[in-house]
C-alpha cells in the first residue's frame, strides 16, 4: 500500500533527525512491499522567522490531507505548533512508552511501561493572563476528556502483554476540584475493566517511585503537564531522551514525534541519536497497520525496532548512549541492515 506522510522537519536537531527518517523511509520503500510519499513541511521557529507564522495554514492543510504526520522537534515556538496541532486534530492521547533494551547506559534494564497522557487540556489550553501584579493560568479538566483518556489507558492495559494495571497519577489533595474530577472519572471508567488492577498515586510519589521502584508500573494515566514531566523522567530510567518515541493519537488521525525537544546544544554536530524519531516511525507503522489492516506495516515495524536494537547491541551507537557513531553513520547502518 502507499501512504502519504507529512513530515515537519523541525528546528535544532530536527533537520538531522528528519534526514535520518527520510533515509529509513526510502530504504523501506526499496526493500519492502510498502510505499511512502513524503511531503516535507516547515513549521516552528524557522517558519515563524520566514512567514511570521509558526504553523502556516498550508502546513495544516497538507497534514490534514495526509494519512499520517511525522514531526521532528521544534524550538521555542513548540507550543504554537504541537499544542495547536494536538487540539485542532483532536489528538487526545499522548502515548509515551518507556521500555528497557539491552546494552543501554540506563538506570534499569527490566522496565516496560507506558505513560498515557491527556493531550488536549489542563494548563496547556494556553489561557494565561495578568491580573494586577499577578499572573494567572487556567487549568481546565473536563469529565469527557478525562473519561476518554482513562478508557484509552484501560484499553492499552488490556492489549499489553503485561501485568494489566493502570495507575492514575494526580495531585487531588491540593487540586481538589480539577484533579478530583480526573480521579473520579478514571475510577468510574475502571469499573468497566474488572480484570485490570486500578490504583491511584500522587504525582510527587510517582516521581519518586519511577526511580525507586519503576517495575511497579504498567500503564500510567495522567493529565497533560504531569505526563510531560513524568515521561522525560521515565525515558531517563531506560536510556535517555535519545531513545524515547511518542505517539499523539486521535480517533482518525495520528502524529508521531520524539519525546524530546530541539536540543539546540547539540544541533548541527551530527551527533544526535535518531532512535527517538526512528522508534516513532515504528509506532507509526504499527498504527498504520492497525488502521488499514495491513500486515506488512506490522512486519516492517518489528523489523525496524529489532534492527535498531541489534545495532546498539553490537556496540554501534551514538554518544548519548555511550557510543561514538555519528547520526549519519548510525542511520546508514540501519538502512543497510533493514
Ligand atoms: P522541551 O522542553 O522542548 O520538551 P526537552 O527538555 O524535552 O525539550 P531537550 O531540551 O531538547 O528536550 O533535550 C534535553 C537534552 O537531552 C538536550 O540538551 C540533549 O543534550 C539531550 N538530547 C535530547 N534529545 C537527544 C537526542 N535525540 N540525541 C542525543 N541527545 C539528546
Amino acid at each position: 500500500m502507499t501512504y502519504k506522510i507529512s513530515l515537519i522537519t523541525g528546528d535544532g536537531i530536527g533537520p538531522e533527525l528528519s534526514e535520518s527518517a527520510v533515509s529509513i523511509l526510502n530504504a523501506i520503500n526499496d526493500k519492502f512491499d510498502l510505499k511512502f510519499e513524503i511531503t516535507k513541511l516547515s513549521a516552528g521557529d524557522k517558519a515563524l522567522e520566514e512567514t511570521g507564522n509558526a504553523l502556516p495554514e498550508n502546513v495544516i492543510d497538507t497534514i490534514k490531507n495526509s494519512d499520517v504526520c511525522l514531526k521532528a522537534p521544534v524550538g521555542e515556538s513548540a507550543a504554537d505548533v504541537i499544542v495547536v496541532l494536538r487540539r485542532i486534530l483532536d489528538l487526545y492521547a499522548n502515548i509515551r512508552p518507556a521500555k528497557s533494551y539491552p546494552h543501554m547506559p540506563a538506570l534499569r534494564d527490566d522496565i516496560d511501561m507506558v505513560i498515557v497522557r491527556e493531550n488536549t487540556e489542563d494548563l496547556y489550553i494556553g489561557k494565561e493572563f495578568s491580573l494586577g501584579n499577578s499572573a494567572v493560568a487556567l487549568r481546565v479538566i473536563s469529565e469527557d476528556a478525562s473519561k476518554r483518556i482513562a478508557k484509552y489507558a484501560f484499553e492499552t492495559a488490556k492489549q499489553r502483554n503485561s501485568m494489566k494495571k493502570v495507575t492514575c497519577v494526580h495531585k487531588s489533595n491540593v487540586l481538589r476540584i480539577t484533579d478530583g474530577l480526573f480521579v473520579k472519572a478514571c475510577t468510574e471508567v475502571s469499573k468497566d475493566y474488572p480484570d485490570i488492577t486500578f490504583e491511584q498515586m500522587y504525582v510527587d510519589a510517582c516521581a519518586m517511585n519511577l526511580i525507586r521502584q519503576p517495575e511497579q508500573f504498567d500503564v500510567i494515566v495522567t493529565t497533560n503537564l504531569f505526563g510531560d514531566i513524568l515521561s522525560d523522567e521515565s525515558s531517563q530510567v531506560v536510556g535517555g531522551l535519545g531513545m524515547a518515541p511518542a505517539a499523539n493519537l486521535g480517533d482518525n488521525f495520528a502524529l508521531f514525534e520524539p519525546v524530546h525537544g530541539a536540543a539546540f546544544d547539540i544541533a548541527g554536530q551530527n551527533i544526535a541519536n535518531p532512535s527517538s524519531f526512528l522508534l516513532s516511525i515504528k509506532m507509526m507503522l504499527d498504527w498504520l497497520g492497525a488502521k488499514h489492516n495491513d500486515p506488512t506495516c506490522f512486519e516492517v515495524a518489528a523489523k525496524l525496532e529489532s534492527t535498531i536494537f541489534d545495532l546498539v547491541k553490537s556496540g554501534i551507537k551514538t554518544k548519548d548512549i555511550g557510543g561514538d557513531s555519528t547520526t549519519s553513520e548510525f542511520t546508514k547502518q540501519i538502512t543497510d541492515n533493514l
Side-chain angles (χ1 to χ4, degrees):
M1 258 185 96
T2 301
Y3 297 105
K4 283 195 273 182
I5 299 180
S6 45
L7 168 65
I8 295 176
T9 52
D11 304 308
I13 59 171
E16 294 160 75
L17 262 49
S18 295
E19 213 176 291
S20 172
V22 169
S23 301
I24 299 303
L25 292 169
N26 285 337
I28 294 172
N29 268 340
D30 291 343
K31 298 184 187 203
F32 297 90
D33 188 19
L34 202 56
K35 299 288 162 255
F36 300 113
E37 285 170 12
I38 305 163
T39 306
K40 289 189 191 173
L41 299 168
S42 177
D45 296 357
K46 200 155 153 264
L48 181 63
E49 203 181 297
E50 287 169 4
T51 69
N53 187 353
L55 185 60
E57 278 301 321
N58 67 312
V59 169
I60 299 174
D61 290 344
T62 307
I63 292 172
K64 282 183 175 167
N65 285 321
S66 65
D67 292 305
V68 68
C69 180
L70 279 175
K71 185 197 138 288
V74 300
E76 291 304 312
S77 52
D80 298 324
V81 179
I82 187 60
V83 179
V84 175
L85 281 175
R86 285 170 184 157
R87 219 176 308 131
I88 58 181
L89 299 169
D90 199 21
L91 305 174
Y92 62 88
N94 193 331
I95 310 305
R96 296 183 157 191
K99 187 170 163 186
S100 297
Y101 293 99
H103 304 273
M104 289 289 159
L107 293 182
R108 295 286 296 255
D109 61 5
D110 57 347
I111 300 305
D112 185 2
M113 56 171 282
V114 59
I115 295 183
V116 175
R117 163 190 175 193
E118 203 293 319
N119 224 7
T120 61
E121 46 184 32
D122 192 356
L123 286 165
Y124 283 59
I125 60 163
K127 298 281 183 249
E128 288 189 292
F129 50 92
S130 298
L131 202 63
N133 289 333
S134 302
V136 178
L138 279 183
R139 182 170 197 254
V140 173
I141 304 288
S142 72
E143 185 181 343
D144 284 353
S146 302
K147 283 191 168 166
R148 183 163 71 159
I149 200 68
K151 187 163 185 293
Y152 197 92
F154 280 96
E155 287 296 324
T156 303
K158 203 160 102 178
Q159 280 161 26
R160 275 165 59 84
N161 191 12
S162 60
M163 66 179 113
K164 312 258 178 247
K165 179 161 113 175
V166 171
T167 307
C168 167
V169 173
H170 59 91
K171 190 69 182 170
S172 70
N173 51 339
V174 175
L175 303 166
R176 292 191 184 112
I177 296 180
T178 48
D179 268 7
L181 174 60
F182 186 72
V183 181
K184 188 164 171 269
C186 291
T187 308
E188 271 175 33
V189 172
S190 76
K191 291 176 188 150
D192 297 334
Y193 297 86
D195 297 336
I196 295 174
T197 309
F198 176 64
E199 64 173 23
Q200 38 171 307
M201 193 178 284
Y202 292 134
V203 64
D204 43 342
C206 179
M208 176 190 67
N209 283 323
L210 277 172
I211 304 297
R212 196 176 71 157
Q213 243 183 352
E215 71 280 2
Q216 72 179 276
F217 295 112
D218 179 10
V219 176
I220 286 178
V221 63
T222 189
T223 49
N224 208 338
L225 179 63
F226 296 158
D228 192 13
I229 297 167
L230 294 175
S231 54
D232 266 34
E233 186 186 356
S234 61
S235 77
Q236 205 56 47
V237 173
V238 297
L241 285 169
M243 301 300 298
N248 296 269
L249 308 179
D251 287 333
N252 298 306
F253 196 74
L255 179 153
F256 298 82
E257 58 173 351
V259 166
H260 60 74
F264 287 107
D265 56 331
I266 56 166
Q269 298 176 40
N270 197 22
I271 58 169
N273 187 350
S275 304
S276 54
F277 208 19
L278 303 183
L279 291 169
S280 303
I281 292 178
K282 186 256 174 206
M283 292 180 84
M284 175 193 85
L285 288 164
D286 281 331
W287 181 81
L288 285 171
K291 180 160 194 250
H292 298 277
N293 204 9
D294 184 345
T296 314
C297 287
F298 293 120
E299 183 202 327
V300 178
K303 180 76 187 155
L304 177 58
E305 185 180 37
S306 64
T307 303
I308 294 169
F309 288 104
D310 287 347
L311 198 60
V312 170
K313 213 156 97 184
S314 75
I316 297 175
K317 44 190 178 179
T318 46
K319 196 173 158 198
D320 58 306
I321 52 169
D324 59 6
S325 293
T326 62
T327 313
S328 41
E329 284 165 355
F330 188 80
T331 303
K332 169 86 172 54
Q333 280 293 328
I334 296 172
T335 57
D336 290 350
N337 297 358
L338 260 179

